[in-house]
C-alpha cells in the first residue's frame, strides 16, 4: 500500500513530521512539486533537520525521489545532501531528469516581480526562490530540464534562447540592468546572482552541477523508476509541499504557489498513475490552528496583538523566509475544500499541544457572504476576503505533560483535545489517523499508519 501526505491548509502544517513518522513503513519517499520554497522540519531525539528540497524521508534513510513536477535549485540540493552527510547521515536521493532547473535569473525575476507588484499592493508574498518564473518557463516551453544539464549541446541551446528573454524582461519590464548591480533582496545575496544573466557563466555553473549529478548517478526518469520499485514490492510515500489553499488551481489565486500540492499533482508530478499514487490512502495534515506566511485573505486571522501573543507560544516564523506567520482559528471551510479536492482518507493533526492552556478555543464552521451561508472557500480571493466567519466555541484543554500523552497514546489526550479533533473529523467524515503533540518524532500519536494498514487505535 502507498500513501500521499498533503497539506490541507496554507502550508506549514507540519507535513515533515507526519511524513517522517508515517514514512517509517515506506521504502521510498517522493516529492512531486515545488522546490526549495518549502520548509519541512523533522525532529528526532532533539536533533532538528530542516529541509527545503529533499524529501523528508531521507532523514530516516529512505530512498528519496524528486519527481518531474519539482523545480530544483542545484545549490540547495547539493547543500542539503552535504549537510546531512556532515551530520552522519547518508542520504540516497534520485532526481527526475524531467524536473525543471531553477536558474539564478528565476530568483532575481521573482524578487523583481514581487517588488513591482508591491508598488500596486498586489504582492503574493513569495518566498523569493524563483518558483513562479521557473514554472512560467516550464509552461512557456523555455525551461531547462535536469536531463538537459547532462547534455552540453542541448543545455547551451536552451540557455541561449531563455537567458536573453530573462535579460529583456529584467531590463524592459523591471528596469534592472542585467549586467549591473542587482536590487536588494534574497536573490542578490546568493553567490551566483552577479552573473545570473550571463549565458556563459550560467552554462559553466550548470555544467559543473551536471558533472556532480553524473558522478553521483542520481538522475532517473521518475515514472519508470517508481513503477519498477513498485513492481519490486516497495512501499511509496508521496510527500506534498505547501498546502491545498496555495495550490495553483484549487487555492486562493493569485496568492498561491506555482505548482499543484494537491493529490492530483502527485500523479502529474511523478509519472505514475492515480492507483499507484494514492492506493487508497491520502492523508490530510491539519494544523490545529491556521497560519500563513505571505499575502492573501485569511478570514479567521487574529488581530495583530493576539497574533503576537500566540506566536510566542509556538514557532511562529516561516521555516524558509523567517517571516512572522499570520495566525488564525481553525477554519472548516478550508478543510472541507481540501477534503473534496484531495479525497482524504485520513487526517493527521499537528500542533495540538500548541493550543493547550488557551482561555478560549474557536473553530470556524462556515462563513456568511452576501447574506448566504458558505461552507467551502469561494472561487475568488475577493469573495474570500469578504467572508465573515461563523464560530463554534469548543472547550479548551490545559497544557500538560505532552511527552507522557504521546507515550500513552490517543486515549491519553486531554478529553477536550479529543473532542476537538473528533469534531473536525465528524464534520469532514474522515477518520483521525495521527495526532501530533510536539515536534519530536515520538510526539506523534499514530492511531493507524495507512502504509501498515492497521486498524485505528484508541476509543472514538
Ligand atoms: P512561492 O511558492 O515562493 O512562489 O510563494 C507563493 C506563496 O506560497 C506565498 O504566499 C508563499 O508564502 C507561499 N508558500 C510557498 N511555499 C510555502 C511553504 O512551504 N509553506 C507555506 N507557504 C508557502
Amino acid at each position: 500500500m502507498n500513501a500521499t501526505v498533503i497539506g490541507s491548509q496554507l502550508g506549514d502544517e507540519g507535513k515533515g513530521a507526519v511524513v517522517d513518522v508515517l514514512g517509517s513503513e515506506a521504502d521510498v519517499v517522493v516529492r512531486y512539486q515545488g522546490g526549495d520554497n518549502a520548509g519541512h522540519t523533522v525532529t528526532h531525539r532533539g536533533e532538528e533537520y530542516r529541509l527545503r528540497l529533499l524529501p523528508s524521508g531521507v532523514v530516516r534513510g529512505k530512498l528519496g525521489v524528486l519527481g518531474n513536477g519539482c523545480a530544483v535549485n542545484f545549490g540547495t540540493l547539493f547543500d542539503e545532501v552535504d549537510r546531512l552527510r556532515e551530520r552522519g547521515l547518508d542520504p540516497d536521493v534520485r532526481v527526475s531528469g524531467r524536473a525543471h532547473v531553477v536558474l539564478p535569473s528565476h530568483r532575481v525575476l521573482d524578487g523583481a516581480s514581487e517588488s513591482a507588484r508591491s508598488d500596486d499592493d498586489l504582492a503574493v508574498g513569495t518566498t523569493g526562490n524563483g518558483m513562479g518564473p521557473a514554472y512560467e518557463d516550464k509552461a512557456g516551453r523555455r525551461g531547462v530540464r535536469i536531463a538537459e544539464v547532462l547534455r552540453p549541446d542541448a543545455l547551451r541551446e536552451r540557455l541561449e534562447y531563455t537567458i536573453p528573454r530573462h535579460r529583456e524582461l529584467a531590463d524592459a519590464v523591471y528596469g534592472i540592468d542585467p549586467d549591473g548591480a542587482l536590487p536588494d533582496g534574497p536573490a542578490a545575496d546568493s553567490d551566483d546572482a552577479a552573473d545570473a544573466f550571463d549565458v556563459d557563466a550560467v552554462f559553466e555553473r550548470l555544467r559543473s552541477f551536471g558533472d556532480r549529478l553524473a558522478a553521483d548517478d542520481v538522475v532517473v526518469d521518475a515514472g519508470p523508476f517508481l513503477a519498477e520499485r513498485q513492481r519490486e514490492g516497495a512501499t511509496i510515500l508521496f510527500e506534498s509541499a505547501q498546502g491545498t489553499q496555495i495550490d495553483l488551481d484549487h487555492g486562493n489565486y493569485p496568492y498561491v504557489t506555482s505548482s499543484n500540492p494537491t493529490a492530483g499533482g502527485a500523479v502529474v508530478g511523478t509519472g505514475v498513475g492515480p492507483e499507484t499514487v494514492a492506493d487508497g490512502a491520502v492523508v490530510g495534515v491539519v494544523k490545529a490552528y491556521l497560519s500563513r506566511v505571505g499575502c492573501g485573505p485569511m478570514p479567521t486571522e487574529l488581530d495583530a496583538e493576539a497574533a503576537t501573543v500566540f506566536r510566542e507560544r509556538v514557532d511562529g516564523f516561516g521555516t524558509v523566509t523567517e517571516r512572522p506567520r499570520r495566525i488564525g482559528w481553525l477554519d472548516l471551510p478550508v478543510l472541507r475544500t481540501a477534503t473534496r479536492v484531495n479525497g482524504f482518507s485520513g487526517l493527521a493533526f499537528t500542533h495540538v499541544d500548541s493550543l493547550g492552556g488557551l482561555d478560549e478555543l474557536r473553530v470556524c464552521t462556515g462563513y456568511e457572504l452576501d447574506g448566504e451561508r458558505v461552507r467551502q472557500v469561494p472561487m475568488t480571493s475577493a469573495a474570500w476576503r469578504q467572508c465573515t466567519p461563523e464560530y463554534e466555541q469548543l472547550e479548551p484543554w490545559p497544557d500538560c505533560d505532552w511527552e507522557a500523552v504521546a507515550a500513552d497514546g490517543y486515549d491519553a489526550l486531554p478529553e477536550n483535545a479529543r473532542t476537538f479533533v473528533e469534531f473536525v473529523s465528524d464534520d469532514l467524515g474522515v477518520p483521525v489517523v495521527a495526532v501530533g503533540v510536539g515536534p519530536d518524532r515520538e510526539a506523534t500519536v499514530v492511531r493507524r499508519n495507512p502504509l501498515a494498514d492497521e486498524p485505528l487505535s484508541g476509543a472514538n
Side-chain angles (χ1 to χ4, degrees), residues 72-93:
V72 177
N73 175 344
F74 285 128
T76 308
L77 174 71
F78 292 127
D79 187 50
E80 289 191 351
V81 168
D82 291 343
R83 276 191 295 114
L84 289 179
R85 285 194 181 139
E86 280 161 21
R87 294 175 73 177
L89 302 182
D90 184 20
D92 186 1
V93 179

Side-chain angles (χ1 to χ4, degrees), residues 10-12 37-39 110 124-129 131-132 242 246 255-258 292-295 323:
L10 289 149
D12 293 331
N37 52 343
D110 191 1
V124 175
T126 74
T127 62
N129 288 296
M131 291 299 122
Q242 291 84 43
I246 49 177
Y255 303 101
V256 291
T257 192
S258 300
R292 176 166 213 169
V293 288
C295 313
R323 291 177 287 184

Side-chain angles (χ1 to χ4, degrees), residues 13 33 40 81 273 350 378:
E13 294 92 352
Q33 45 73 229
H40 291 174
V81 168
T350 59

Side-chain angles (χ1 to χ4, degrees), residues 51 98 197 234 247 362 415 431:
L51 299 173
R98 296 173 194 263
F197 295 98
D247 178 282
R362 296 196 211 174
E415 192 181 338

